[in-house]
Amino acid sequence: MRTVKFLLQKEFRQIFRNRAILALIIVMPVMQLIILPLAADYEVKNINLSVVDHDHSPYAQQLVAKITASGYFRLQGYHASFKEAYRLIEQDKADLVLEIPRGFERDLIRNGHQQLFIAVNAINGTKAGLGSAYLSSILRDYNDGIRMEWIAPTRFRPAATIEVIPANRFNPLLNYQFFMVPGILAILLTMVGGFLSALNIVKEKEIGTIEQINVTPIKKHHFILGKLIPFWVLGNVVFTVGLLVSWVIYGIFPQGSIPAMYGFISIYLLAVLGFGLLISTYTDTQQQAMFIMFFFMMIFILMGGLFTSIDSMPPWAKAVSRLNPVSYLVEVMRMIVLKGSGWADVFPHLGAMLGFAVVLNGWAILNYRKKS
Amino acid sequence: MVSLKNITKTYNHGTVKAVDDVSFSVEKGELFGLIGPDGAGKSSIFRMLATLLIPDKGSATVAGHDIVNDYKLIRSKVGYMPGRFSLYPDLSIEENLDFFATVFNTTVKENYHLIEDIYVQIAPFHKRRAGRLSGGMKQKLALCCALIHKPTVLFLDEPTTGVDPVSRREFWEMLKRLRQQGITILVSTPYMDEASLCDRIALIQHGRILSIDTPQGIAAAYPNSLYAVKATDMPRLIHVLSTYYPHMHSYLFGEVIHLDARGMGGYNLPDELTQFLTAEGFADIEVKPIAPTIEDCFINMLVRHDT
């Protein structure tokens, strides 16, 4: 244990001398948490709409006014023909074309129904899908409005209608940031833990100090512990800083058990640090370690359930994501921060993470050789 | 103290033979030099003895312990200084020394007498980071770190490479003092002039030992007479010598040409050569017999080895 103490002393000295890393550890979470949730947003706004109005009736104008008033659409302009509007789509200036046929108002009043034509630029799938959905719902709303005008309310409703009113639990206002911030915090923690630990041992290989360490009686597990503990502490610091930032800036405070959260983070950090160590035992230069780490980080992040829901992935991808430690952390973060979960709820996740930690660290220790 | 028996080490799945059937032994308190050019296999031998590499074939012991089976016992008894500076550049002199003392379960104070002579030279800079030291100071610090746990055997892999001549001489003075304290030292160097400072040396080339003896013994075993030749127009001289005396090996050595008079016993070479060179139009001709240095011996062995 005395040896570990001296190793730790040395490790912390080196970390505190490396100003760039230290600044990064504090500045990175703050900057990312401030910028990313504001920019990375699923809500689609500013959909460019071009209208081809063949009718020019008050009803048609009312409809367009209602659409633009929703705030999601930006009126690109009125065009004389669909062909003209389509050119705008080709030039990427319009996302949606709404064509109002001649006699829209007249036929609507006379026949009771009328058809509209919507053309969508589907190059940006999300924007197209959400845009046409928004537009359809505005049209439905408009339709209901017209019916209300015509059909005099009677005592007995002519037809029963089912009205669905959703209640959003845990995030009543569907605030996007509530969803995003815990996820970004999870990614940050993974990056800091994984990269720092992987690069640290490889650096000792690169500058040759590992040779000098290897001829000393330091035991393998002492050396690895000496590397794990400092970054474990740093990870907790980064996490706490991130939690404070999200509380101060976004007003997000964990609804659930904070000890359970730190309990999970402790185990999670062990797993991620173990992963970093494992990579460092397979690589000889910092460059190699960096690229391999990046490869895994991309997969971890994209398949971690931060941006896309794991539940909607194909079965094989779902199976793969169970091997992704980040997916557990993202889930636990959202459970504790938004849902108010406690120890009992995160217990299965904790068990899985303990498994990751044991396997990854065990593998790293076995693969770290003091001689070749 | 150190003994190697038929040690062989290959790299890249046997395609590169770094150490080829090497056997030698070093006595207690001896200053033993491994002399050879870059790539001769010196570092591989050191790494095997320091328990960082496992030999493919053969066996070796250090301080009575087998390098493969008892490597843990060896690690606390040897001091190893790799060819490349490998201390923490972001820790100061003091911190590096403290660190290596503590990982060997000792303190700087306890073994200060061992390093005192060396440490006082770098002590004024004890707060300076190791990465910002000059080459000579780095070597002194590395030696201190290798000595701080009071090893019985010291492995120094090219400790003077890249160090200025004054620091090199100082360094060898320190090694001599350490030997007086009973520490066995195995040192490697590509510099032939350092060879004569060792008790015994092994000349090594392409992973094979060419000769093992005292420096005097190796010089005395030089098989032929050796002459130093000097004249005006040295570039033409070396060309003329190698053309007209192809069986005698001649090579530039500092400001003179060394001529190995192989098979010229009982023959008055200086007079012959002076006459010949005068006829060739050289002036200020000087031909005199000289005592071979270790470098001459090494060159001679390489030439014989190659032909």
Side-chain angles (χ1 to χ4, degrees):
Chain A
M1 271 298 89
R2 231 171 71 92
T3 313
V4 176
K5 195 187 108 191
F6 293 122
L7 282 169
L8 288 180
Q9 193 181 20
K10 175 216 124 201
E11 219 53 64
F12 274 114
R13 252 187 202 144
Q14 288 183 297
I15 290 168
F16 286 120
R17 285 207 183 143
N18 196 340
R19 291 280 148 93
I21 290 281
L22 209 59
L24 206 68
I25 287 168
I26 303 303
V27 173
M28 191 166 85
V30 177
M31 291 303 280
Q32 294 204 350
L33 278 173
I34 291 174
I35 295 167
L36 281 183
L38 296 178
D41 191 322
Y42 276 143
E43 273 190 49
V44 174
K45 289 178 193 126
N46 307 328
I47 303 166
N48 294 316
L49 175 75
S50 89
V51 176
V52 181
D53 188 355
H54 296 297
D55 198 43
H56 301 291
S57 62
Y59 266 35
Q61 272 162 27
Q62 224 177 10
L63 176 62
V64 173
K66 195 173 171 67
I67 291 168
T68 50
S70 71
Y72 292 110
F73 296 93
R74 199 160 56 190
L75 190 61
Q76 183 64 33
Y78 286 96
H79 300 281
S81 69
F82 179 71
K83 220 172 145 188
E84 204 176 300
Y86 190 73
R87 194 166 303 127
L88 282 178
I89 283 194
E90 285 180 331
Q91 289 167 354
D92 220 14
K93 283 182 183 156
D95 301 305
L96 273 173
V97 178
L98 173 69
E99 193 176 16
I100 301 169
R102 193 179 306 281
F104 172 71
E105 189 183 78
R106 188 192 62 214
D107 289 357
L108 193 63
I109 293 170
R110 193 184 295 163
N111 302 339
H113 69 88
Q114 182 51 278
Q115 283 182 326
L116 288 167
F117 176 71
I118 303 171
V120 187
N121 176 3
I123 285 176
N124 183 340
T126 318
K127 207 171 182 182
L130 284 172
S132 64
Y134 289 160
L135 195 57
S136 308
S137 97
I138 292 169
L139 289 176
R140 198 165 45 244
D141 207 36
Y142 174 76
N143 204 5
D144 288 347
I146 292 174
R147 277 163 72 180
M148 287 290 279
E149 259 176 53
W150 293 348
I151 304 167
T154 51
R155 252 194 324 148
F156 304 102
R157 305 193 75 168
T161 51
I162 298 172
E163 197 178 359
V164 180
I165 300 169
N168 301 310
R169 296 283 306 279
F170 311 125
N171 187 0
L173 299 173
L174 285 184
N175 187 335
Y176 188 73
Q177 287 154 359
F178 279 35
F179 177 72
M180 230 25 210
V181 169
I184 287 172
L185 201 49
I187 297 294
L188 267 175
L189 201 60
T190 314
M191 299 260 278
V192 169
F195 276 105
L196 286 185
S197 62
L199 293 182
N200 190 278
I201 289 193
V202 178
K203 187 181 159 204
E204 294 229 11
K205 279 192 190 175
E206 252 183 13
I207 59 176
T209 45
I210 203 141
E211 291 265 277
Q212 204 82 66
I213 291 287
N214 283 351
V215 293
T216 67
I218 295 176
K219 293 200 174 57
K220 256 206 265 194
H221 63 273
H222 284 161
F223 182 71
I224 298 233
L225 268 182
K227 290 287 176 197
L228 279 182
I229 294 171
F231 295 117
W232 185 86
V233 172
L234 277 184
N236 274 305
V237 170
V238 169
F239 182 70
T240 308
V241 169
L243 220 52
L244 287 175
V245 168
S246 51
W247 180 40
V248 170
I249 296 183
Y250 300 103
I252 300 171
F253 194 76
Q255 300 296 305
S257 156
I258 289 181
M261 178 174 259
Y262 272 94
F264 184 82
I265 292 295
S266 300
I267 309 285
Y268 178 78
L269 274 171
L270 278 185
V272 170
L273 292 172
F275 183 68
L277 291 180
L278 182 61
I279 285 184
S280 74
T281 60
Y282 277 105
T283 49
D284 294 319
T285 64
Q286 296 193 53
Q287 206 174 32
Q288 286 172 356
M290 196 79 178
F291 269 104
I292 293 176
M293 207 62 202
F294 240 103
F295 168 78
F296 282 106
M297 277 296 162
M298 289 296 278
I299 295 175
F300 281 177
I301 291 171
L302 290 178
M303 293 188 73
L306 175 63
F307 298 110
T308 48
S309 167
I310 291 175
D311 290 329
S312 53
M313 286 180 189
W316 64 265
K318 256 191 233 182
V320 170
S321 80
R322 289 292 88 183
L323 294 174
N324 177 0
V326 176
S327 73
Y328 293 86
L329 179 63
V330 170
E331 215 172 297
V332 167
M333 286 290 290
R334 285 178 181 154
M335 277 166 79
I336 294 180
V337 172
L338 301 181
K339 211 166 156 188
S341 302
W343 281 105
D345 306 290
V346 299
F347 200 70
H349 300 79
L350 213 56
M353 205 40 65
L354 210 55
F356 275 109
V358 170
V359 169
L360 290 170
N361 284 296
W363 189 355
I365 290 177
L366 283 180
N367 200 49
Y368 168 69
R369 270 166 308 203
K370 285 186 83 172
K371 58 195 310 197
S372 55
Chain B
M1 210 55 190
V2 177
S3 139
L4 291 85
K5 224 179 203 171
N6 309 107
I7 288 283
T8 299
K9 178 74 195 174
T10 58
Y11 294 114
N12 292 342
H13 309 286
T15 52
V16 180
K17 213 163 210 179
V19 179
D20 190 1
D21 198 23
V22 164
S23 307
F24 66 86
S25 58
V26 182
E27 301 307 316
K28 186 172 165 36
E30 201 175 13
L31 176 54
F32 191 93
L34 272 182
I35 318 291
D38 294 338
K42 303 188 297 287
S43 292
S44 296
I45 293 176
F46 273 99
R47 288 167 55 81
M48 282 187 279
L49 292 176
T51 74
L52 290 169
L53 271 181
I54 299 173
D56 295 350
K57 269 183 247 150
S59 62
T61 58
V62 174
H65 304 295
D66 185 81
I67 58 163
V68 180
N69 298 320
D70 299 330
Y71 69 93
K72 280 188 180 153
L73 293 170
I74 293 178
R75 281 179 182 167
S76 52
K77 287 192 180 169
V78 304
Y80 170 54
M81 188 173 148
R84 207 170 120 211
F85 179 71
S86 48
L87 298 174
Y88 291 100
D90 45 358
L91 295 183
S92 70
I93 287 184
E94 218 174 15
E95 288 162 347
N96 266 301
L97 199 56
D98 267 336
F99 175 70
F100 283 102
T102 50
V103 297
F104 279 103
N105 270 316
T106 180
T107 55
V108 176
K109 221 174 179 177
E110 204 172 308
N111 292 318
Y112 187 69
H113 63 279
L114 267 178
I115 60 162
E116 192 175 2
D117 286 345
I118 314 161
Y119 190 69
V120 288
Q121 300 177 39
I122 50 173
F125 315 100
H126 66 280
K127 290 264 182 244
R128 196 182 287 184
R129 308 247 170 111
R132 298 202 192 123
L133 295 173
S134 70
M137 286 205 278
K138 275 180 181 164
Q139 295 309 87
K140 283 170 194 162
L141 174 61
L143 186 60
C144 285
C145 288
L147 275 171
I148 197 63
H149 59 289
K150 206 178 177 187
T152 48
V153 185
L154 202 52
F155 295 121
L156 308 173
D157 190 3
E158 299 205 4
T160 53
T161 301
V163 174
D164 69 84
V166 177
S167 298
R168 267 170 62 191
R169 199 173 314 138
E170 278 176 12
F171 199 86
W172 278 91
E173 290 298 317
M174 290 185 285
L175 294 191
K176 282 187 174 165
R177 278 201 292 275
L178 289 173
R179 186 190 48 180
Q180 280 160 13
Q181 306 203 30
I183 296 175
T184 308
I185 303 171
L186 187 58
V187 60
S188 74
T189 178
Y191 300 122
M192 303 292 164
D193 56 326
E194 291 180 347
S196 56
L197 302 169
C198 300
D199 293 330
R200 275 198 309 149
I201 53 175
L203 299 182
I204 180 168
Q205 162 83 351
H206 299 314
R208 301 190 77 104
I209 302 262
L210 301 177
S211 173
I212 302 178
D213 206 339
T214 58
Q216 298 76 21
I218 283 188
Y222 195 82
N224 316 312
S225 15
L226 192 69
Y227 296 92
V229 186
K230 204 176 153 186
T232 50
D233 197 5
M234 293 294 276
R236 196 166 82 87
L237 179 61
I238 191 143
H239 178 73
V240 166
L241 283 175
S242 58
T243 316
Y244 288 92
Y245 296 90
H247 56 287
M248 295 195 291
H249 186 59
S250 54
Y251 48 91
L252 208 58
F253 195 101
E255 292 182 323
V256 296
I257 290 169
H258 280 192
L259 185 69
D260 173 64
R262 178 144 57 133
M264 300 294 251
Y267 187 71
N268 195 356
L269 189 80
D271 291 350
E272 273 299 308
L273 199 59
T274 312
Q275 274 176 30
F276 168 71
L277 291 178
T278 316
E280 283 286 324
F282 288 96
D284 300 332
I285 302 159
E286 249 181 68
V287 180
K288 56 181 180 193
I290 49 159
T293 64
I294 298 294
E295 187 164 352
D296 292 308
C297 298
F298 195 74
I299 290 169
N300 181 258
M301 275 175 209
L302 292 189
V303 171
R304 276 192 302 175
H305 198 76
D306 289 346
T307 51

mmCIF file of all heavy atoms in Angstrom, chain A residues 91-118:
data_model
loop_
_atom_site.group_PDB
_atom_site.id
_atom_site.type_symbol
_atom_site.label_atom_id
_atom_site.label_comp_id
_atom_site.label_asym_id
_atom_site.label_seq_id
_atom_site.Cartn_x
_atom_site.Cartn_y
_atom_site.Cartn_z
ATOM 1 N N GLN A 91 -33.466 24.183 -55.732
ATOM 2 C CA GLN A 91 -32.379 25.068 -55.312
ATOM 3 C C GLN A 91 -32.182 25.030 -53.795
ATOM 4 O O GLN A 91 -31.390 25.801 -53.253
ATOM 5 C CB GLN A 91 -32.679 26.507 -55.748
ATOM 6 C CG GLN A 91 -32.574 26.695 -57.246
ATOM 7 C CD GLN A 91 -33.168 28.016 -57.691
ATOM 8 O OE1 GLN A 91 -33.751 28.743 -56.885
ATOM 9 N NE2 GLN A 91 -33.028 28.323 -58.969
ATOM 10 N N ASP A 92 -32.952 24.195 -53.132
ATOM 11 C CA ASP A 92 -32.863 24.050 -51.680
ATOM 12 C C ASP A 92 -33.315 25.301 -50.933
ATOM 13 O O ASP A 92 -32.909 25.526 -49.800
ATOM 14 C CB ASP A 92 -31.426 23.697 -51.265
ATOM 15 C CG ASP A 92 -31.444 22.656 -50.157
ATOM 16 O OD1 ASP A 92 -32.519 22.061 -49.954
ATOM 17 O OD2 ASP A 92 -30.412 22.465 -49.512
ATOM 18 N N LYS A 93 -34.141 26.117 -51.605
ATOM 19 C CA LYS A 93 -34.627 27.320 -50.921
ATOM 20 C C LYS A 93 -35.960 27.053 -50.230
ATOM 21 O O LYS A 93 -36.352 27.792 -49.340
ATOM 22 C CB LYS A 93 -34.790 28.468 -51.928
ATOM 23 C CG LYS A 93 -33.452 29.092 -52.303
ATOM 24 C CD LYS A 93 -33.627 30.243 -53.244
ATOM 25 C CE LYS A 93 -32.277 30.793 -53.655
ATOM 26 N NZ LYS A 93 -32.361 31.485 -54.946
ATOM 27 N N ALA A 94 -36.674 26.024 -50.683
ATOM 28 C CA ALA A 94 -37.948 25.695 -50.054
ATOM 29 C C ALA A 94 -37.914 24.249 -49.595
ATOM 30 O O ALA A 94 -37.276 23.398 -50.215
ATOM 31 C CB ALA A 94 -39.085 25.895 -51.045
ATOM 32 N N ASP A 95 -38.559 23.968 -48.446
ATOM 33 C CA ASP A 95 -38.631 22.602 -47.944
ATOM 34 C C ASP A 95 -39.991 21.987 -48.246
ATOM 35 O O ASP A 95 -40.133 20.784 -48.357
ATOM 36 C CB ASP A 95 -38.406 22.584 -46.435
ATOM 37 C CG ASP A 95 -37.053 23.160 -46.069
ATOM 38 O OD1 ASP A 95 -36.042 22.669 -46.591
ATOM 39 O OD2 ASP A 95 -37.024 24.136 -45.298
ATOM 40 N N LEU A 96 -40.991 22.837 -48.333
ATOM 41 C CA LEU A 96 -42.362 22.358 -48.516
ATOM 42 C C LEU A 96 -43.061 23.247 -49.534
ATOM 43 O O LEU A 96 -42.860 24.459 -49.547
ATOM 44 C CB LEU A 96 -43.128 22.488 -47.209
ATOM 45 C CG LEU A 96 -43.064 21.360 -46.181
ATOM 46 C CD1 LEU A 96 -43.762 21.809 -44.924
ATOM 47 C CD2 LEU A 96 -43.695 20.103 -46.724
ATOM 48 N N VAL A 97 -43.884 22.597 -50.372
ATOM 49 C CA VAL A 97 -44.735 23.383 -51.279
ATOM 50 C C VAL A 97 -46.185 23.028 -50.963
ATOM 51 O O VAL A 97 -46.542 21.855 -50.896
ATOM 52 C CB VAL A 97 -44.437 23.061 -52.755
ATOM 53 C CG1 VAL A 97 -45.368 23.860 -53.665
ATOM 54 C CG2 VAL A 97 -42.993 23.358 -53.077
ATOM 55 N N LEU A 98 -46.970 24.044 -50.743
ATOM 56 C CA LEU A 98 -48.395 23.824 -50.493
ATOM 57 C C LEU A 98 -49.150 24.381 -51.686
ATOM 58 O O LEU A 98 -49.029 25.564 -52.016
ATOM 59 C CB LEU A 98 -48.818 24.547 -49.209
ATOM 60 C CG LEU A 98 -50.313 24.543 -48.904
ATOM 61 C CD1 LEU A 98 -50.793 23.153 -48.542
ATOM 62 C CD2 LEU A 98 -50.641 25.522 -47.787
ATOM 63 N N GLU A 99 -49.881 23.493 -52.363
ATOM 64 C CA GLU A 99 -50.636 23.946 -53.539
ATOM 65 C C GLU A 99 -52.121 23.996 -53.196
ATOM 66 O O GLU A 99 -52.711 22.993 -52.787
ATOM 67 C CB GLU A 99 -50.380 23.012 -54.730
ATOM 68 C CG GLU A 99 -50.876 23.615 -56.036
ATOM 69 C CD GLU A 99 -50.527 22.741 -57.236
ATOM 70 O OE1 GLU A 99 -50.180 21.566 -57.043
ATOM 71 O OE2 GLU A 99 -50.598 23.259 -58.365
ATOM 72 N N ILE A 100 -52.691 25.188 -53.354
ATOM 73 C CA ILE A 100 -54.118 25.355 -53.077
ATOM 74 C C ILE A 100 -54.837 25.400 -54.430
ATOM 75 O O ILE A 100 -54.545 26.271 -55.256
ATOM 76 C CB ILE A 100 -54.372 26.655 -52.289
ATOM 77 C CG1 ILE A 100 -53.581 26.602 -50.952
ATOM 78 C CG2 ILE A 100 -55.853 26.857 -52.049
ATOM 79 C CD1 ILE A 100 -53.543 27.904 -50.211
ATOM 80 N N PRO A 101 -55.719 24.468 -54.695
ATOM 81 C CA PRO A 101 -56.323 24.387 -56.032
ATOM 82 C C PRO A 101 -57.312 25.530 -56.307
ATOM 83 O O PRO A 101 -57.826 26.165 -55.370
ATOM 84 C CB PRO A 101 -57.044 23.045 -55.988
ATOM 85 C CG PRO A 101 -57.331 22.809 -54.554
ATOM 86 C CD PRO A 101 -56.230 23.444 -53.782
ATOM 87 N N ARG A 102 -57.583 25.757 -57.574
ATOM 88 C CA ARG A 102 -58.584 26.754 -57.978
ATOM 89 C C ARG A 102 -59.940 26.317 -57.435
ATOM 90 O O ARG A 102 -60.246 25.122 -57.421
ATOM 91 C CB ARG A 102 -58.625 26.820 -59.518
ATOM 92 C CG ARG A 102 -59.373 28.002 -60.084
ATOM 93 C CD ARG A 102 -59.316 27.970 -61.605
ATOM 94 N NE ARG A 102 -57.944 27.874 -62.120
ATOM 95 C CZ ARG A 102 -57.112 28.931 -62.206
ATOM 96 N NH1 ARG A 102 -57.504 30.123 -61.848
ATOM 97 N NH2 ARG A 102 -55.890 28.778 -62.682
ATOM 98 N N GLY A 103 -60.700 27.255 -56.947
ATOM 99 C CA GLY A 103 -62.027 26.922 -56.443
ATOM 100 C C GLY A 103 -62.001 26.236 -55.099
ATOM 101 O O GLY A 103 -62.906 25.499 -54.743
ATOM 102 N N PHE A 104 -60.949 26.465 -54.350
ATOM 103 C CA PHE A 104 -60.793 25.829 -53.034
ATOM 104 C C PHE A 104 -61.961 26.213 -52.110
ATOM 105 O O PHE A 104 -62.637 25.353 -51.547
ATOM 106 C CB PHE A 104 -59.451 26.279 -52.446
ATOM 107 C CG PHE A 104 -59.218 25.863 -51.020
ATOM 108 C CD1 PHE A 104 -58.969 24.532 -50.711
ATOM 109 C CD2 PHE A 104 -59.243 26.792 -49.984
ATOM 110 C CE1 PHE A 104 -58.737 24.151 -49.401
ATOM 111 C CE2 PHE A 104 -59.020 26.410 -48.673
ATOM 112 C CZ PHE A 104 -58.757 25.089 -48.386
ATOM 113 N N GLU A 105 -62.205 27.509 -52.011
ATOM 114 C CA GLU A 105 -63.249 27.984 -51.105
ATOM 115 C C GLU A 105 -64.632 27.552 -51.591
ATOM 116 O O GLU A 105 -65.438 27.013 -50.831
ATOM 117 C CB GLU A 105 -63.186 29.523 -51.004
ATOM 118 C CG GLU A 105 -64.087 30.083 -49.923
ATOM 119 C CD GLU A 105 -64.054 31.592 -49.896
ATOM 120 O OE1 GLU A 105 -64.714 32.201 -50.767
ATOM 121 O OE2 GLU A 105 -63.364 32.160 -49.038
ATOM 122 N N ARG A 106 -64.827 27.731 -52.899
ATOM 123 C CA ARG A 106 -66.150 27.449 -53.463
ATOM 124 C C ARG A 106 -66.506 25.985 -53.280
ATOM 125 O O ARG A 106 -67.555 25.650 -52.750
ATOM 126 C CB ARG A 106 -66.110 27.811 -54.952
ATOM 127 C CG ARG A 106 -67.462 27.753 -55.651
ATOM 128 C CD ARG A 106 -67.251 27.837 -57.158
ATOM 129 N NE ARG A 106 -66.467 26.693 -57.615
ATOM 130 C CZ ARG A 106 -65.593 26.753 -58.616
ATOM 131 N NH1 ARG A 106 -65.341 27.886 -59.253
ATOM 132 N NH2 ARG A 106 -64.947 25.672 -58.984
ATOM 133 N N ASP A 107 -65.561 25.093 -53.675
ATOM 134 C CA ASP A 107 -65.846 23.660 -53.587
ATOM 135 C C ASP A 107 -65.976 23.196 -52.151
ATOM 136 O O ASP A 107 -66.747 22.289 -51.845
ATOM 137 C CB ASP A 107 -64.742 22.844 -54.278
ATOM 138 C CG ASP A 107 -64.808 23.017 -55.778
ATOM 139 O OD1 ASP A 107 -65.737 23.704 -56.234
ATOM 140 O OD2 ASP A 107 -63.909 22.489 -56.468
ATOM 141 N N LEU A 108 -65.189 23.826 -51.292
ATOM 142 C CA LEU A 108 -65.239 23.435 -49.876
ATOM 143 C C LEU A 108 -66.620 23.731 -49.307
ATOM 144 O O LEU A 108 -67.200 22.913 -48.582
ATOM 145 C CB LEU A 108 -64.164 24.209 -49.089
ATOM 146 C CG LEU A 108 -63.865 23.710 -47.675
ATOM 147 C CD1 LEU A 108 -63.308 22.296 -47.713
ATOM 148 C CD2 LEU A 108 -62.866 24.629 -46.983
ATOM 149 N N ILE A 109 -67.157 24.878 -49.668
ATOM 150 C CA ILE A 109 -68.473 25.249 -49.152
ATOM 151 C C ILE A 109 -69.566 24.434 -49.839
ATOM 152 O O ILE A 109 -70.458 23.905 -49.182
ATOM 153 C CB ILE A 109 -68.718 26.763 -49.353
ATOM 154 C CG1 ILE A 109 -67.734 27.542 -48.464
ATOM 155 C CG2 ILE A 109 -70.153 27.132 -49.009
ATOM 156 C CD1 ILE A 109 -67.696 29.016 -48.747
ATOM 157 N N ARG A 110 -69.401 24.259 -51.155
ATOM 158 C CA ARG A 110 -70.459 23.581 -51.908
ATOM 159 C C ARG A 110 -70.460 22.086 -51.654
ATOM 160 O O ARG A 110 -71.466 21.499 -51.331
ATOM 161 C CB ARG A 110 -70.256 23.859 -53.404
ATOM 162 C CG ARG A 110 -71.468 23.458 -54.250
ATOM 163 C CD ARG A 110 -71.176 23.668 -55.718
ATOM 164 N NE ARG A 110 -70.992 25.071 -56.042
ATOM 165 C CZ ARG A 110 -70.408 25.498 -57.173
ATOM 166 N NH1 ARG A 110 -69.933 24.638 -58.038
ATOM 167 N NH2 ARG A 110 -70.288 26.789 -57.425
ATOM 168 N N ASN A 111 -69.279 21.454 -51.761
ATOM 169 C CA ASN A 111 -69.227 19.983 -51.678
ATOM 170 C C ASN A 111 -68.875 19.480 -50.276
ATOM 171 O O ASN A 111 -68.975 18.295 -49.999
ATOM 172 C CB ASN A 111 -68.179 19.419 -52.637
ATOM 173 C CG ASN A 111 -68.466 19.822 -54.061
ATOM 174 O OD1 ASN A 111 -69.606 20.163 -54.390
ATOM 175 N ND2 ASN A 111 -67.442 19.812 -54.893
ATOM 176 N N GLY A 112 -68.397 20.398 -49.459
ATOM 177 C CA GLY A 112 -68.054 19.969 -48.095
ATOM 178 C C GLY A 112 -66.665 19.345 -47.987
ATOM 179 O O GLY A 112 -66.224 18.997 -46.912
ATOM 180 N N HIS A 113 -65.975 19.151 -49.095
ATOM 181 C CA HIS A 113 -64.585 18.701 -48.976
ATOM 182 C C HIS A 113 -63.756 19.239 -50.131
ATOM 183 O O HIS A 113 -64.266 19.578 -51.188
ATOM 184 C CB HIS A 113 -64.498 17.178 -48.907
ATOM 185 C CG HIS A 113 -64.858 16.492 -50.186
ATOM 186 N ND1 HIS A 113 -63.945 16.232 -51.158
ATOM 187 C CD2 HIS A 113 -66.054 16.039 -50.631
ATOM 188 C CE1 HIS A 113 -64.549 15.633 -52.171
ATOM 189 N NE2 HIS A 113 -65.852 15.512 -51.874
ATOM 190 N N GLN A 114 -62.464 19.317 -49.874
ATOM 191 C CA GLN A 114 -61.572 19.818 -50.898
ATOM 192 C C GLN A 114 -60.193 19.223 -50.640
ATOM 193 O O GLN A 114 -59.863 18.830 -49.519
ATOM 194 C CB GLN A 114 -61.540 21.358 -50.833
ATOM 195 C CG GLN A 114 -60.705 22.027 -51.870
ATOM 196 C CD GLN A 114 -60.982 21.572 -53.297
ATOM 197 O OE1 GLN A 114 -60.474 20.550 -53.732
ATOM 198 N NE2 GLN A 114 -61.800 22.324 -54.034
ATOM 199 N N GLN A 115 -59.387 19.156 -51.686
ATOM 200 C CA GLN A 115 -58.065 18.550 -51.524
ATOM 201 C C GLN A 115 -56.960 19.590 -51.677
ATOM 202 O O GLN A 115 -57.057 20.496 -52.506
ATOM 203 C CB GLN A 115 -57.882 17.442 -52.547
ATOM 204 C CG GLN A 115 -58.631 16.188 -52.124
ATOM 205 C CD GLN A 115 -58.430 15.060 -53.099
ATOM 206 O OE1 GLN A 115 -58.309 15.315 -54.286
ATOM 207 N NE2 GLN A 115 -58.427 13.845 -52.596
ATOM 208 N N LEU A 116 -55.917 19.410 -50.854
ATOM 209 C CA LEU A 116 -54.732 20.267 -50.960
ATOM 210 C C LEU A 116 -53.560 19.375 -51.351
ATOM 211 O O LEU A 116 -53.565 18.181 -51.089
ATOM 212 C CB LEU A 116 -54.419 20.914 -49.605
ATOM 213 C CG LEU A 116 -55.371 22.011 -49.159
ATOM 214 C CD1 LEU A 116 -55.115 22.316 -47.705
ATOM 215 C CD2 LEU A 116 -55.187 23.259 -50.005
ATOM 216 N N PHE A 117 -52.562 19.996 -51.943
ATOM 217 C CA PHE A 117 -51.400 19.206 -52.352
ATOM 218 C C PHE A 117 -50.157 19.709 -51.611
ATOM 219 O O PHE A 117 -49.876 20.902 -51.581
ATOM 220 C CB PHE A 117 -51.219 19.337 -53.870
ATOM 221 C CG PHE A 117 -49.998 18.638 -54.366
ATOM 222 C CD1 PHE A 117 -49.948 17.241 -54.391
ATOM 223 C CD2 PHE A 117 -48.894 19.352 -54.820
ATOM 224 C CE1 PHE A 117 -48.822 16.601 -54.850
ATOM 225 C CE2 PHE A 117 -47.765 18.710 -55.271
ATOM 226 C CZ PHE A 117 -47.739 17.321 -55.297
ATOM 227 N N ILE A 118 -49.443 18.772 -50.983
ATOM 228 C CA ILE A 118 -48.203 19.148 -50.285
ATOM 229 C C ILE A 118 -47.044 18.369 -50.908
ATOM 230 O O ILE A 118 -47.110 17.148 -51.030
ATOM 231 C CB ILE A 118 -48.262 18.791 -48.785
ATOM 232 C CG1 ILE A 118 -49.465 19.450 -48.109
ATOM 233 C CG2 ILE A 118 -46.988 19.204 -48.081
ATOM 234 C CD1 ILE A 118 -49.691 18.952 -46.693
#
